[in-house]
Amino acid sequence: MKKIVITRRINPAMVDKLKKDFEVVVWDEDNTPMPRQRFLEETKDAHGVMTMLSDKVDEEMLNGAQNLKVVANLAVGYDNIDLEAAKSHGVIITNTPDVLTETTAELAFTLILTSARRVLEANRELMAGEWSGWSPYHMAGTDVFGKTVGIFGMGSIGAAFARRLSGFRTKIIYHNRSRSEAADELGAELVSFEELMAESDFVLCAAPLTEETRHRFDKAAFDKMKRSAFFINIGRGAHVVEEDLAQAVRNGDIKGAALDVFENEPISDAHPFTDIPNMTLLPHIGSASVDTRNNMMNLCVNNIMEVLNGGKPITPVR
């Protein structure tokens, strides 16, 4: 019987679906990744693996997994996987595009409004019993209505976020490797990276991580932004030079920032962002709705089953 390894606890119904035809090993410690050594040991005789972003699929792992045919990554991104190494070992890599687009766009919209209207700052003040009463400029934030929003990475999530701006009469600009038809339909304007940073009142990073985009948002980039502007990141933490962003917000070079992703996750209370009041920080919950996570898991399961039963993957990477 072919063996499948699942590196986190998932919906039991998905596991049962696989158990009909396969031996299934699940790492069942909630909220903790499968330890690296255990991952390497369990995958030695595995035919399929469902991985998370915390699982590194590299030459070391692939060398030891001689039976491996398919890795289903529970994410749209796959920067945890060495695609060239997987190709050389004949291992198919799949991801979960489309099913999490709308949910992640909703989270991006939550971040832009939460940051602009200082929601978390206001909540912390109230819960700490420090609210002294109403006054004209108390916790006064920034309107999103009528502003310019710049999107870095006009893929499906960027476009879904842009659609949500329609009721706010914003001007939408974006920077992409190529022109986006979806953006054209929304009346968004393709601009240079420099224009995006200089003209936007809100900059949203929604791009996949590549060597081109790694640390693209550094001191030079933040220096181009308006002092009244906000930076929002739902892409990958490694897009950002985190010390540079912390300095830009602390110094008032930009108004604030909202982040769902970090370069090294999880972060601790010693992270340079955690003591900055006008930074909204979330623990990588972009696609975290029950329906979407179940849909992602089901797609991973179906990808694994298709490949191991001799069929074609549903959502192969490249």
Side-chain angles (χ1 to χ4, degrees):
M1 184 176 285
K2 292 177 180 176
K3 176 182 175 181
I4 296 169
V5 174
I6 302 173
T7 64
R8 292 286 184 105
R9 181 183 298 172
I10 66 167
N11 188 325
M14 311 294 175
V15 179
D16 291 341
K17 185 175 178 179
L18 288 169
K19 280 184 174 179
K20 293 177 182 178
D21 298 300
F22 305 100
E23 174 193 353
V24 183
V25 173
V26 181
W27 176 251
D28 206 26
E29 298 292 330
D30 199 20
N31 291 327
T32 61
M34 178 182 278
R36 175 68 174 179
Q37 198 54 45
R38 179 71 178 272
F39 180 58
L40 295 176
E41 290 171 4
E42 291 289 0
T43 54
K44 279 181 181 177
D45 57 347
H47 298 80
V49 183
M50 185 189 297
T51 52
M52 315 294 147
L53 288 172
S54 53
D55 304 311
K56 195 173 182 181
V57 177
D58 54 11
E59 191 67 45
E60 180 188 25
M61 178 268 190
L62 293 163
N63 271 331
Q66 297 299 314
N67 296 329
L68 192 61
K69 301 297 181 188
V70 58
V71 173
N73 210 40
L74 191 79
V76 172
Y78 40 83
D79 43 286
N80 57 311
I81 298 174
D82 186 334
L83 295 182
E84 292 304 315
K87 184 178 180 180
S88 69
H89 285 270
V91 176
I92 294 170
I93 306 297
T94 72
N95 64 343
T96 58
D98 303 326
V99 293
L100 52 72
T101 297
E102 300 300 330
T103 301
T104 307
E106 284 181 6
L107 193 279
F109 210 79
T110 301
L111 283 175
I112 194 172
L113 291 175
T114 299
S115 184
R117 294 302 304 272
R118 303 176 66 183
V119 170
L120 294 189
E121 288 180 76
N123 177 258
R124 284 192 292 264
E125 180 188 88
L126 186 148
M127 298 302 289
E130 297 171 355
W131 182 31
S132 59
W134 185 92
S135 64
Y137 288 108
H138 176 248
M139 286 294 168
T142 301
D143 290 327
V144 176
F145 187 88
K147 297 294 172 49
T148 297
V149 179
I151 300 173
F152 181 80
M154 187 63 86
S156 57
I157 293 172
F161 171 76
R163 287 198 301 274
R164 284 162 170 78
L165 290 169
S166 61
F168 284 72
R169 297 185 186 175
T170 57
K171 176 183 178 181
I172 304 171
I173 60 178
Y174 72 100
H175 180 71
N176 226 32
R177 285 180 297 183
S178 58
R179 182 172 294 279
S180 162
E181 289 185 14
D184 288 343
E185 292 172 4
L186 293 164
E189 179 186 352
L190 178 64
V191 298
S192 70
F193 181 73
E194 289 71 21
E195 290 173 298
L196 184 91
M197 302 305 288
E199 296 178 16
S200 299
D201 297 298
F202 298 89
V203 174
L204 173 74
C205 175
L209 182 64
T210 66
E211 285 310 308
E212 277 185 337
T213 64
R214 184 180 298 275
H215 293 165
R216 187 71 185 273
F217 294 94
D218 58 7
K219 184 179 185 304
F222 296 125
D223 283 348
K224 292 181 175 67
M225 293 178 69
K226 302 175 183 178
R227 292 179 69 85
S228 58
F230 292 80
F231 175 75
I232 297 102
N233 188 13
I234 58 163
R236 286 288 180 266
H239 287 302
V240 179
V241 178
E242 292 182 336
E243 286 289 351
D244 291 354
L245 176 58
Q247 183 177 348
V249 179
R250 276 201 195 96
N251 294 348
D253 299 327
I254 65 174
K255 189 75 171 179
L259 311 165
D260 185 47
V261 288
F262 307 89
E263 183 153 20
N264 296 299
E265 299 178 356
I267 65 170
S268 71
D269 58 5
H271 192 280
F273 292 159
T274 56
D275 65 345
I276 305 175
N278 48 334
M279 292 195 78
T280 300
L281 310 177
L282 296 180
H284 204 149
I285 59 169
S287 61
S289 74
V290 173
D291 288 343
T292 293
R293 288 289 165 86
N294 281 338
N295 288 337
M296 292 167 69
M297 291 171 191
N298 193 53
L299 180 55
C300 284
V301 165
N302 289 339
N303 269 308
I304 290 170
M305 292 176 65
E306 282 294 325
V307 173
L308 295 188
N309 287 326
K312 293 182 179 181
I314 303 164
T315 53
V317 173
R318 296 185 195 172

